[in-house]
């Protein structure tokens, strides 16, 4: 397995471990905004982007991990969030970074 794929697969575990150490309470990402994402450091943005990729893929029942999109997601989210800091991180606009909108 290539190293970049192993690191992508390990990122959620590191995110969860880091969040558990940092805070004892649960994080409600449905309340997180783009402003929260922009204020994160690069490592946290990368890890959260991987979590979001899994979240959106799971909700769409897509068992495909597009590593190119996941790798590009932190920059794409940062660009989107710079334009609209009030956007929810778990929403249609951010979902489109990972999964294209369904065609009517």
């Amino acid at each position: 397995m290539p190293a970049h794929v192993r690191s992508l697969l390990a990122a959620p575990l590191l995110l969860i471990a880091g969040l558990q150490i940092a805070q004892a309470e649960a994080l409600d990402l449905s309340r997180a905004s783009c402003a929260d994402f922009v204020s994160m450091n690069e490592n946290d943005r990368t890890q959260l982007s991987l979590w979001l990729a899994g979240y959106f893929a799971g909700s769409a029942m897509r068992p495909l991990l597009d590593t190119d999109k996941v790798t590009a997601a932190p920059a794409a989210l940062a660009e989107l969030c710079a334009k609209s800091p009030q956007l929810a991180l778990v929403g249609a606009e951010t979902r489109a970074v990972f999964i294209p909108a369904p065609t009517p």
Side-chain angles (χ1 to χ4, degrees):
M1 181 179 309
H4 72 282
V5 173
R6 281 194 303 262
S7 64
L8 282 174
L9 296 175
L13 298 175
L14 295 173
L15 176 64
I16 291 167
L19 292 176
Q20 289 175 350
I21 292 169
Q23 299 183 1
E25 64 187 68
L27 295 176
D28 184 356
L29 292 177
S30 68
R31 296 176 183 240
S33 69
C34 270
D36 298 320
F37 183 81
V38 170
S39 71
M40 294 177 176
N41 67 43
E42 184 178 350
N43 185 54
D44 290 346
R45 285 182 190 185
T46 300
Q47 291 181 16
L48 182 55
S49 295
L50 183 57
W51 183 89
L52 287 168
Y55 176 82
F56 291 129
S59 67
M61 296 178 63
R62 291 185 174 191
L64 174 66
L65 178 64
D66 185 336
T67 57
D68 290 336
K69 277 194 176 194
V70 172
T71 302
L77 280 175
E79 183 178 332
L80 173 67
C81 288
K83 294 176 186 173
S84 303
Q86 77 286 356
L87 279 178
L89 268 183
V90 178
E93 295 88 349
T94 56
R95 179 186 186 275
V97 169
F98 300 96
I99 298 174
T103 53

